[in-house]
Every structure is written in C-alpha cells, then in structure tokens.
Amino acid sequence: MKSLPAPARRTRPLRRSDIPAAGPARRASGTGAVLSAILDHGPVARSTVARVTGLSPASVTGHVGHLVSRGLVRESEETTGPRGLGRPHIPVEIDTGRFLVAGAHIAVAHSTVSLMDLRGRVVAEDRRPHRSTEPRSILADLAARLPRLTAAHADGRTVLALGVATGHRVDSAAGVVVEHPHLGWRSVPVREILTDATGLPVHVDSHSRALARAEQMFGEVSTRASTVLLFIGAVVDAAFATSGELHRGPRSGAGSVAHLPLGPGGSGDAEPCSCGRTGCLQSEVSERAMIRRAAEQGLYVESFGELLDHAMADEPRAVALFRRRARLVGRAAALLLDMFDPECLVVVEPGAGRLPQCLADLRAEVAERSGVCDDPERAVVPSSFTGSVLATAGGAVALGALYTDPLGPWPALPAVS
C-alpha cells in the first residue's frame, strides 16, 4: 500500500474555496435503466420492462442480452397467459447467485465492513472499534478484514467492487474524503489507497448520499422523485435528490446541515459547537450530546448504543432524552421541508426508527412548524434500513455505481457479448 502523509489537523473551518470542484454527474445508461426496472419488478417480462422504461422492445432485448451475458440478470421459467393461452415469455430477474459487492462505513468510533447481494440485502457484516484514527490505520484495517469476511460468507460468489461511505464532505468523483473533522481527516485519497490494498474497483461517497441512493433503489418508493435524507448520528448531515438525481454541489458540499441553527427553544446549557456557537443542530442532537445529557441526569453510559438499549427497555430518563432529540430533529426537518419541498423526508435516527413515540413527536413538531408539509404521516418516514444502516451505506455506494453503469469497467464481470 502506498504511504500516506499524516493527516493535516484542521486549524480553521474549511471554506468552499478550499474544496476542489467535483466532476460532472453521470446519468444512468439505457442498460442501467433496464437493470433498475428488473430490480423493481422482477421476475418481469421484457415487454413490461419496455413499457416502464419507455424504451423500444428491440432496445430492451439488446440490453437484457448484455446483462445476461455479464451475469447480472438471469432468465426465469417460462410463463403463459391464463389457462395456458397466449405466447409464452421468459421473465428475467436479478441474479444474486454469482456476485456480491463489499461495503465499508467509517464512523467516528468504529468501522463496519459488509457484503451485500445485488438486490441490496446485507449478507454479512463486521463492526470493530478504531485502534487509531489515522487514515492509513483505518483503511489498512478495512482492507485486511474484507478477505476474511468474504471467505466466511461469500459462498463462492465474486466481489465486484468496494463501496466506502463516511460522514462530512466527500468528493465522490475523485474518491477523496475532503474533510472529516471528527477523525481529523483532510484530503484523504480513499479510492487510491483501497484500490491498491484490495485490487477492487473502489467507489466513495458520503453516508447520507449513500443511504438516499439505497432508499431509491431498495427502500421507500416515494423517494424516487425528490427527497431529503437527514442523518443524525455522531455526525449530522443530509442528502438532497431531485428528479431522481442526487445533488452534490460543485464542490461536493451539499448536505452540510450540522450548523443549522435551531432557534429559540434549544437548550441554553449546551456545550459550544465546533463552530464556536451554541444551538447548532449537531451540538444539540449528536450522539456525543446525548451521552453528555444522560450523564447530567445521572444515567452514565459508555456508548450511545447503551443509551439506546436503555430507551428500548423503557428507562424513563433515556426515553425522555430520545423524545427531546426527536422534537429537535423535527424542528430541523420542518426547515428542510420548507426549503426544498420534497416528496419525502427520510430520517435516519434510531429513535425514530425504533421508538414509535419518537416518530410521533418528530412528526408533531413538523406539523406545528412547517408551512409546506401538510401531511407529516406520509411525508416524513424513518429509514428503511433501521438496524442495518451502516452495513447498508457502503454497499449502496458500490451498487449505485453498478446500477448506473452496468456495462462499465467492472473487471470481475465477463466482457459484453
């Protein structure tokens, strides 16, 4: 593996002028549209694929032929019309028996390596705490864990690519983590390092954009047109999509909502945010803030997961903390709904996903504060991947690239016939 200089410690807030411009976005090819339609509807007839994609039957037949030859799609048993009438047709469906993708999510305190099949189902995952926050240490550890996970769980399937997701600013075109203040990372060439270490094609993106793409591919149907995804964890950020396309911004800075001011009603005793102010979304609702508030109430926990376990067990102080968090997240959600007017806002936050009263509180706050959202029950939804968010994020980066360009340079796939 190539040596990597020690990460530069942040001495001032990163400014837009510091961030290199991202490359142009790529739209899904015709073959990608066909593959996505088969994912949605399979097993499905080619004629149905033509109807839902708007492509000609001849074009669909050609695209399906390429996908079959690459091992991404397989033909199912013949079917006919009612009582055996009509011309038989051979449906096609995603082939999950030959290939997998690998995923890696880099959190503040730990990293998760996962395997995912081509329908977005997590096959296996391995989460471990960081031994160091230096980029070379974390990335080398990820690369070393992947072969062991593959040997134990791939069942003979070939790994096509590795997707990497993390918080804060990520330039997906360059494969670089631009800045991750919690880890002390800046301008880390993740794609280059992990490609050298694993020999796999590597795709890198922010975890919020990865999870928004996962919702579009495998989760909440209402996210297909336009969506905002709000990620609340150790890192707080967001993703925005319109007309099915994720917005990254010219310097991959879209989604930086950590310092969104919550306005009157936030706590006056909050510790200052990293920006020096108080009342920022991140300083009020992050995992660190939750653990600190629990200690102030005499509920001492070693991790956020332990605090969540207390809430799941109906410990009153823990439940109250999560309900307070839900109301503050609802305040931020109302602002984002009014700013972007999306079809759907997805909240990635374990309280909203696992505690019904938290989701109800969050939606009630949206109903009270939003001037645009008139149906929070429909428009505000929890993550489709509660319980497997981190394992899903990395794999979704790789699968998103595959579904966008299935005929692209995927070394493990057969050549297009």
Side-chain angles (χ1 to χ4, degrees):
M1 186 173 72
K2 294 180 179 179
S3 61
L4 177 69
R9 290 289 172 178
R10 178 176 170 179
T11 57
R12 61 175 175 81
L14 194 71
R15 306 184 190 284
R16 287 184 62 86
S17 59
D18 296 325
I19 307 172
R26 295 182 63 181
R27 291 187 171 272
S29 64
T31 311
V34 168
L35 184 61
S36 295
I38 296 171
L39 172 67
D40 283 345
H41 303 285
V44 61
R46 292 164 174 80
S47 58
T48 302
V49 173
R51 186 167 63 252
V52 300
T53 60
L55 298 170
S56 71
S59 293
V60 169
T61 297
H63 291 309
V64 169
H66 292 322
L67 294 170
V68 169
S69 71
R70 301 213 92 177
L72 301 176
V73 165
R74 69 182 183 91
E75 295 182 330
S76 303
E77 296 181 0
E78 288 187 356
T79 63
T80 59
R83 298 185 181 182
L85 299 177
R87 182 178 179 181
H89 67 261
I90 303 176
V92 290
E93 61 184 343
I94 302 297
D95 189 343
T96 60
R98 298 179 62 180
F99 302 107
L100 299 169
V101 296
H105 180 272
I106 304 168
V108 173
H110 52 77
S111 61
T112 303
V113 180
S114 62
L115 296 175
M116 181 181 284
D117 73 16
L118 300 193
R119 292 194 62 83
R121 295 174 294 207
V122 175
V123 173
E125 64 176 289
D126 173 42
R127 183 180 304 177
R128 300 188 188 181
H130 299 320
R131 292 176 293 181
S132 165
T133 59
E134 291 184 351
R136 63 170 67 86
S137 174
I138 290 178
L139 298 176
D141 178 66
L142 292 174
R145 288 156 55 192
L146 181 56
R148 295 193 292 268
L149 194 68
T150 301
H153 298 284
D155 293 329
R157 289 172 286 187
T158 300
V159 174
L160 291 176
L162 170 62
V164 182
T166 191
H168 292 290
R169 296 194 174 189
V170 179
D171 183 343
S172 57
V176 170
V177 174
V178 178
E179 185 190 41
H180 196 308
H182 289 79
L183 293 174
W185 289 18
R186 193 167 184 174
S187 301
V188 177
V190 171
R191 176 188 294 159
E192 177 185 345
I193 294 167
L194 286 177
T195 297
D196 288 349
T198 66
L200 293 170
V202 176
H203 303 269
V204 188
D205 211 340
S206 77
H207 57 204
S208 54
R209 288 194 292 264
L211 290 166
R213 186 72 175 101
E215 293 287 350
Q216 292 176 329
M217 291 190 291
F218 317 113
E220 177 62 42
V221 174
S222 61
T223 63
R224 300 290 178 84
S226 63
T227 188
V228 171
L229 183 137
L230 181 57
F231 185 99
I232 306 294
V235 173
V236 176
D237 51 20
F240 314 108
T242 183
S243 300
E245 294 291 324
L246 287 166
H247 177 64
R248 290 174 167 80
R251 296 173 180 82
S252 301
S256 300
V257 299
H259 305 294
L260 192 70
L262 292 177
S267 63
D269 61 342
E271 66 180 23
C273 183
S274 60
C275 67
R277 296 185 293 269
T278 58
C280 293
L281 178 61
Q282 178 172 268
S283 65
E284 292 281 358
V285 304
S286 70
E287 292 180 1
R288 176 179 174 179
M290 291 283 283
I291 292 171
R292 181 181 67 85
R293 288 190 172 279
E296 289 172 353
Q297 297 185 24
L299 182 57
Y300 298 99
V301 296
E302 294 185 359
S303 68
F304 178 81
E306 186 180 345
L307 181 60
L308 178 61
D309 289 341
H310 281 299
M312 296 287 290
D314 290 328
E315 203 287 331
R317 291 167 296 181
V319 171
L321 285 171
F322 274 93
R323 294 190 69 175
R324 175 186 180 274
R325 187 194 211 196
R327 291 190 292 271
L328 292 174
V329 172
R331 189 179 302 178
L335 289 172
L336 294 172
L337 284 162
D338 287 358
M339 290 171 65
F340 293 96
D341 190 20
E343 183 73 21
C344 178
L345 185 142
V346 179
V347 180
V348 183
E349 193 277 322
R354 298 185 180 186
L355 301 170
Q357 61 268 50
C358 286
L359 182 59
D361 287 344
L362 195 158
R363 286 171 167 164
E365 197 75 17
V366 168
E368 179 181 344
R369 293 178 176 274
S370 174
V372 170
C373 179
D374 56 4
D375 188 2
E377 295 285 330
R378 177 193 61 79
V380 180
V381 299
S383 169
S384 300
F385 311 103
T386 298
S388 61
V389 165
L390 304 186
T392 297
V397 177
L399 281 185
L402 177 66
Y403 275 85
T404 297
D405 190 13
L407 301 187
W410 300 91
L413 292 180
V416 177
S417 61

PDB file of all heavy atoms in Angstrom, residues 12 30 64 72 79 91 93 100 176 180 186 223 231 264 276 291 294 327 344 346 350 377 392 412:
ATOM      1  N   ARG A  12      -8.592  25.911  10.855  1.00  0.00           N
ATOM      2  CA  ARG A  12      -9.688  26.855  10.651  1.00  0.00           C
ATOM      3  C   ARG A  12     -10.796  26.126   9.904  1.00  0.00           C
ATOM      4  O   ARG A  12     -10.559  25.094   9.293  1.00  0.00           O
ATOM      5  CB  ARG A  12      -9.232  28.064   9.815  1.00  0.00           C
ATOM      6  CG  ARG A  12      -8.756  27.704   8.422  1.00  0.00           C
ATOM      7  CD  ARG A  12      -8.427  28.940   7.592  1.00  0.00           C
ATOM      8  NE  ARG A  12      -7.857  28.605   6.302  1.00  0.00           N
ATOM      9  CZ  ARG A  12      -8.559  28.232   5.243  1.00  0.00           C
ATOM     10  NH1 ARG A  12      -9.871  28.132   5.321  1.00  0.00           N
ATOM     11  NH2 ARG A  12      -7.967  27.943   4.100  1.00  0.00           N
ATOM     12  N   GLY A  30     -29.041   3.462 -20.780  1.00  0.00           N
ATOM     13  CA  GLY A  30     -30.226   2.674 -21.085  1.00  0.00           C
ATOM     14  C   GLY A  30     -30.168   1.317 -20.430  1.00  0.00           C
ATOM     15  O   GLY A  30     -31.174   0.816 -19.907  1.00  0.00           O
ATOM     16  N   VAL A  64     -31.053  -6.452 -22.207  1.00  0.00           N
ATOM     17  CA  VAL A  64     -31.175  -7.652 -21.378  1.00  0.00           C
ATOM     18  C   VAL A  64     -30.131  -8.684 -21.789  1.00  0.00           C
ATOM     19  O   VAL A  64     -29.520  -9.351 -20.942  1.00  0.00           O
ATOM     20  CB  VAL A  64     -32.595  -8.240 -21.469  1.00  0.00           C
ATOM     21  CG1 VAL A  64     -32.641  -9.637 -20.831  1.00  0.00           C
ATOM     22  CG2 VAL A  64     -33.597  -7.319 -20.779  1.00  0.00           C
ATOM     23  N   LEU A  72     -25.465 -10.521 -14.515  1.00  0.00           N
ATOM     24  CA  LEU A  72     -26.201  -9.664 -13.596  1.00  0.00           C
ATOM     25  C   LEU A  72     -27.688 -10.008 -13.559  1.00  0.00           C
ATOM     26  O   LEU A  72     -28.380  -9.726 -12.577  1.00  0.00           O
ATOM     27  CB  LEU A  72     -26.029  -8.190 -13.983  1.00  0.00           C
ATOM     28  CG  LEU A  72     -24.587  -7.685 -14.006  1.00  0.00           C
ATOM     29  CD1 LEU A  72     -24.538  -6.243 -14.504  1.00  0.00           C
ATOM     30  CD2 LEU A  72     -23.937  -7.806 -12.635  1.00  0.00           C
ATOM     31  N   THR A  79     -43.576 -18.473 -18.684  1.00  0.00           N
ATOM     32  CA  THR A  79     -44.965 -18.341 -18.250  1.00  0.00           C
ATOM     33  C   THR A  79     -45.832 -18.078 -19.468  1.00  0.00           C
ATOM     34  O   THR A  79     -45.352 -17.640 -20.522  1.00  0.00           O
ATOM     35  CB  THR A  79     -45.127 -17.179 -17.254  1.00  0.00           C
ATOM     36  OG1 THR A  79     -44.789 -15.948 -17.912  1.00  0.00           O
ATOM     37  CG2 THR A  79     -44.249 -17.365 -16.039  1.00  0.00           C
ATOM     38  N   PRO A  91     -39.526 -14.563 -18.232  1.00  0.00           N
ATOM     39  CA  PRO A  91     -39.214 -13.401 -17.378  1.00  0.00           C
ATOM     40  C   PRO A  91     -37.730 -13.361 -17.043  1.00  0.00           C
ATOM     41  O   PRO A  91     -37.027 -14.374 -17.083  1.00  0.00           O
ATOM     42  CB  PRO A  91     -40.059 -13.642 -16.127  1.00  0.00           C
ATOM     43  CG  PRO A  91     -41.045 -14.697 -16.485  1.00  0.00           C
ATOM     44  CD  PRO A  91     -40.395 -15.524 -17.548  1.00  0.00           C
ATOM     45  N   GLU A  93     -34.854 -11.708 -14.062  1.00  0.00           N
ATOM     46  CA  GLU A  93     -34.736 -11.202 -12.707  1.00  0.00           C
ATOM     47  C   GLU A  93     -33.270 -11.002 -12.370  1.00  0.00           C
ATOM     48  O   GLU A  93     -32.382 -11.513 -13.067  1.00  0.00           O
ATOM     49  CB  GLU A  93     -35.383 -12.177 -11.717  1.00  0.00           C
ATOM     50  CG  GLU A  93     -34.747 -13.541 -11.703  1.00  0.00           C
ATOM     51  CD  GLU A  93     -35.481 -14.507 -10.779  1.00  0.00           C
ATOM     52  OE1 GLU A  93     -36.270 -14.047  -9.928  1.00  0.00           O
ATOM     53  OE2 GLU A  93     -35.256 -15.729 -10.906  1.00  0.00           O
ATOM     54  N   LEU A 100     -21.357 -10.387  -5.513  1.00  0.00           N
ATOM     55  CA  LEU A 100     -21.653  -9.547  -4.360  1.00  0.00           C
ATOM     56  C   LEU A 100     -20.920  -8.222  -4.520  1.00  0.00           C
ATOM     57  O   LEU A 100     -20.036  -8.093  -5.377  1.00  0.00           O
ATOM     58  CB  LEU A 100     -21.181 -10.208  -3.056  1.00  0.00           C
ATOM     59  CG  LEU A 100     -21.769 -11.560  -2.662  1.00  0.00           C
ATOM     60  CD1 LEU A 100     -20.969 -12.151  -1.504  1.00  0.00           C
ATOM     61  CD2 LEU A 100     -23.240 -11.420  -2.276  1.00  0.00           C
ATOM     62  N   VAL A 176     -12.158  10.998  -2.766  1.00  0.00           N
ATOM     63  CA  VAL A 176     -11.391  11.635  -1.692  1.00  0.00           C
ATOM     64  C   VAL A 176     -12.325  12.083  -0.573  1.00  0.00           C
ATOM     65  O   VAL A 176     -13.390  12.669  -0.837  1.00  0.00           O
ATOM     66  CB  VAL A 176     -10.609  12.853  -2.240  1.00  0.00           C
ATOM     67  CG1 VAL A 176      -9.996  13.671  -1.117  1.00  0.00           C
ATOM     68  CG2 VAL A 176      -9.536  12.396  -3.218  1.00  0.00           C
ATOM     69  N   HIS A 180     -13.104  15.434   7.277  1.00  0.00           N
ATOM     70  CA  HIS A 180     -13.883  14.768   8.326  1.00  0.00           C
ATOM     71  C   HIS A 180     -13.325  15.263   9.656  1.00  0.00           C
ATOM     72  O   HIS A 180     -12.403  14.665  10.212  1.00  0.00           O
ATOM     73  CB  HIS A 180     -13.752  13.250   8.206  1.00  0.00           C
ATOM     74  CG  HIS A 180     -14.796  12.491   8.970  1.00  0.00           C
ATOM     75  ND1 HIS A 180     -15.056  12.728  10.308  1.00  0.00           N
ATOM     76  CD2 HIS A 180     -15.651  11.498   8.595  1.00  0.00           C
ATOM     77  CE1 HIS A 180     -16.009  11.916  10.716  1.00  0.00           C
ATOM     78  NE2 HIS A 180     -16.393  11.159   9.704  1.00  0.00           N
ATOM     79  N   ARG A 186      -8.301  15.115   6.301  1.00  0.00           N
ATOM     80  CA  ARG A 186      -8.452  16.157   5.292  1.00  0.00           C
ATOM     81  C   ARG A 186      -7.727  15.722   4.023  1.00  0.00           C
ATOM     82  O   ARG A 186      -6.565  15.309   4.079  1.00  0.00           O
ATOM     83  CB  ARG A 186      -7.878  17.479   5.806  1.00  0.00           C
ATOM     84  CG  ARG A 186      -8.270  18.687   4.943  1.00  0.00           C
ATOM     85  CD  ARG A 186      -7.943  19.979   5.671  1.00  0.00           C
ATOM     86  NE  ARG A 186      -8.391  21.134   4.899  1.00  0.00           N
ATOM     87  CZ  ARG A 186      -8.340  22.363   5.326  1.00  0.00           C
ATOM     88  NH1 ARG A 186      -7.872  22.623   6.546  1.00  0.00           N
ATOM     89  NH2 ARG A 186      -8.747  23.366   4.580  1.00  0.00           N
ATOM     90  N   THR A 223     -39.267   8.109  -2.367  1.00  0.00           N
ATOM     91  CA  THR A 223     -38.018   8.858  -2.505  1.00  0.00           C
ATOM     92  C   THR A 223     -37.559   8.958  -3.958  1.00  0.00           C
ATOM     93  O   THR A 223     -36.583   9.653  -4.237  1.00  0.00           O
ATOM     94  CB  THR A 223     -36.891   8.196  -1.692  1.00  0.00           C
ATOM     95  OG1 THR A 223     -36.635   6.881  -2.210  1.00  0.00           O
ATOM     96  CG2 THR A 223     -37.262   8.095  -0.221  1.00  0.00           C
ATOM     97  N   PHE A 231     -29.475  12.619   8.309  1.00  0.00           N
ATOM     98  CA  PHE A 231     -28.729  11.610   9.064  1.00  0.00           C
ATOM     99  C   PHE A 231     -28.337  12.205  10.415  1.00  0.00           C
ATOM    100  O   PHE A 231     -27.650  13.223  10.485  1.00  0.00           O
ATOM    101  CB  PHE A 231     -27.474  11.203   8.291  1.00  0.00           C
ATOM    102  CG  PHE A 231     -26.692  10.075   8.928  1.00  0.00           C
ATOM    103  CD1 PHE A 231     -26.831   8.776   8.476  1.00  0.00           C
ATOM    104  CD2 PHE A 231     -25.817  10.322   9.979  1.00  0.00           C
ATOM    105  CE1 PHE A 231     -26.104   7.740   9.050  1.00  0.00           C
ATOM    106  CE2 PHE A 231     -25.093   9.301  10.570  1.00  0.00           C
ATOM    107  CZ  PHE A 231     -25.242   7.998  10.112  1.00  0.00           C
ATOM    108  N   PRO A 264     -34.924  29.726  18.922  1.00  0.00           N
ATOM    109  CA  PRO A 264     -35.380  29.735  20.307  1.00  0.00           C
ATOM    110  C   PRO A 264     -35.965  28.391  20.706  1.00  0.00           C
ATOM    111  O   PRO A 264     -36.637  27.732  19.917  1.00  0.00           O
ATOM    112  CB  PRO A 264     -36.457  30.833  20.318  1.00  0.00           C
ATOM    113  CG  PRO A 264     -36.126  31.705  19.157  1.00  0.00           C
ATOM    114  CD  PRO A 264     -35.542  30.786  18.115  1.00  0.00           C
ATOM    115  N   GLY A 276     -18.045  27.174  17.428  1.00  0.00           N
ATOM    116  CA  GLY A 276     -17.930  28.195  18.462  1.00  0.00           C
ATOM    117  C   GLY A 276     -19.255  28.721  18.956  1.00  0.00           C
ATOM    118  O   GLY A 276     -19.306  29.439  19.967  1.00  0.00           O
ATOM    119  N   ILE A 291     -25.032  11.524  25.106  1.00  0.00           N
ATOM    120  CA  ILE A 291     -24.326  10.875  26.207  1.00  0.00           C
ATOM    121  C   ILE A 291     -24.044  11.879  27.325  1.00  0.00           C
ATOM    122  O   ILE A 291     -24.166  11.567  28.518  1.00  0.00           O
ATOM    123  CB  ILE A 291     -23.028  10.227  25.691  1.00  0.00           C
ATOM    124  CG1 ILE A 291     -23.363   9.049  24.763  1.00  0.00           C
ATOM    125  CG2 ILE A 291     -22.150   9.765  26.839  1.00  0.00           C
ATOM    126  CD1 ILE A 291     -22.164   8.474  24.042  1.00  0.00           C
ATOM    127  N   ALA A 294     -27.239  12.528  29.208  1.00  0.00           N
ATOM    128  CA  ALA A 294     -27.578  11.389  30.063  1.00  0.00           C
ATOM    129  C   ALA A 294     -26.789  11.448  31.367  1.00  0.00           C
ATOM    130  O   ALA A 294     -27.346  11.228  32.461  1.00  0.00           O
ATOM    131  CB  ALA A 294     -27.297  10.085  29.317  1.00  0.00           C
ATOM    132  N   ARG A 327     -37.910  15.826  18.933  1.00  0.00           N
ATOM    133  CA  ARG A 327     -38.540  17.134  18.722  1.00  0.00           C
ATOM    134  C   ARG A 327     -37.574  18.123  18.080  1.00  0.00           C
ATOM    135  O   ARG A 327     -37.960  18.904  17.193  1.00  0.00           O
ATOM    136  CB  ARG A 327     -39.074  17.675  20.050  1.00  0.00           C
ATOM    137  CG  ARG A 327     -40.268  16.898  20.591  1.00  0.00           C
ATOM    138  CD  ARG A 327     -40.914  17.596  21.778  1.00  0.00           C
ATOM    139  NE  ARG A 327     -40.047  17.595  22.943  1.00  0.00           N
ATOM    140  CZ  ARG A 327     -40.014  16.630  23.859  1.00  0.00           C
ATOM    141  NH1 ARG A 327     -40.804  15.579  23.737  1.00  0.00           N
ATOM    142  NH2 ARG A 327     -39.217  16.721  24.906  1.00  0.00           N
ATOM    143  N   CYS A 344     -40.600  13.470  -0.101  1.00  0.00           N
ATOM    144  CA  CYS A 344     -40.407  12.653   1.089  1.00  0.00           C
ATOM    145  C   CYS A 344     -39.168  13.129   1.839  1.00  0.00           C
ATOM    146  O   CYS A 344     -38.181  13.518   1.220  1.00  0.00           O
ATOM    147  CB  CYS A 344     -40.237  11.178   0.674  1.00  0.00           C
ATOM    148  SG  CYS A 344     -39.945  10.026   2.012  1.00  0.00           S
ATOM    149  N   VAL A 346     -36.632  11.502   4.672  1.00  0.00           N
ATOM    150  CA  VAL A 346     -36.258  10.289   5.391  1.00  0.00           C
ATOM    151  C   VAL A 346     -35.382  10.682   6.572  1.00  0.00           C
ATOM    152  O   VAL A 346     -34.395  11.393   6.405  1.00  0.00           O
ATOM    153  CB  VAL A 346     -35.496   9.307   4.482  1.00  0.00           C
ATOM    154  CG1 VAL A 346     -35.100   8.053   5.264  1.00  0.00           C
ATOM    155  CG2 VAL A 346     -36.327   8.940   3.255  1.00  0.00           C
ATOM    156  N   PRO A 350     -32.056   6.434  15.154  1.00  0.00           N
ATOM    157  CA  PRO A 350     -32.569   5.188  15.722  1.00  0.00           C
ATOM    158  C   PRO A 350     -33.817   5.348  16.568  1.00  0.00           C
ATOM    159  O   PRO A 350     -34.649   4.440  16.619  1.00  0.00           O
ATOM    160  CB  PRO A 350     -31.393   4.655  16.549  1.00  0.00           C
ATOM    161  CG  PRO A 350     -30.494   5.822  16.772  1.00  0.00           C
ATOM    162  CD  PRO A 350     -30.668   6.695  15.579  1.00  0.00           C
ATOM    163  N   GLU A 377     -47.461  12.438   8.283  1.00  0.00           N
ATOM    164  CA  GLU A 377     -47.552  10.979   8.335  1.00  0.00           C
ATOM    165  C   GLU A 377     -47.069  10.351   7.031  1.00  0.00           C
ATOM    166  O   GLU A 377     -46.484   9.268   7.031  1.00  0.00           O
ATOM    167  CB  GLU A 377     -48.992  10.556   8.606  1.00  0.00           C
ATOM    168  CG  GLU A 377     -49.528  10.975   9.956  1.00  0.00           C
ATOM    169  CD  GLU A 377     -48.969  10.135  11.090  1.00  0.00           C
ATOM    170  OE1 GLU A 377     -48.667   8.957  10.842  1.00  0.00           O
ATOM    171  OE2 GLU A 377     -48.835  10.662  12.207  1.00  0.00           O
ATOM    172  N   THR A 392     -25.485  -1.077   5.311  1.00  0.00           N
ATOM    173  CA  THR A 392     -26.097  -0.776   4.017  1.00  0.00           C
ATOM    174  C   THR A 392     -25.358   0.341   3.286  1.00  0.00           C
ATOM    175  O   THR A 392     -25.224   0.305   2.058  1.00  0.00           O
ATOM    176  CB  THR A 392     -27.569  -0.375   4.219  1.00  0.00           C
ATOM    177  OG1 THR A 392     -28.287  -1.481   4.770  1.00  0.00           O
ATOM    178  CG2 THR A 392     -28.216   0.053   2.907  1.00  0.00           C
ATOM    179  N   ALA A 412     -14.327  -7.869 -12.788  1.00  0.00           N
ATOM    180  CA  ALA A 412     -14.743  -9.229 -12.449  1.00  0.00           C
ATOM    181  C   ALA A 412     -15.869  -9.738 -13.341  1.00  0.00           C
ATOM    182  O   ALA A 412     -16.155 -10.942 -13.336  1.00  0.00           O
ATOM    183  CB  ALA A 412     -15.193  -9.293 -10.979  1.00  0.00           C
TER     184      ALA A 412
END
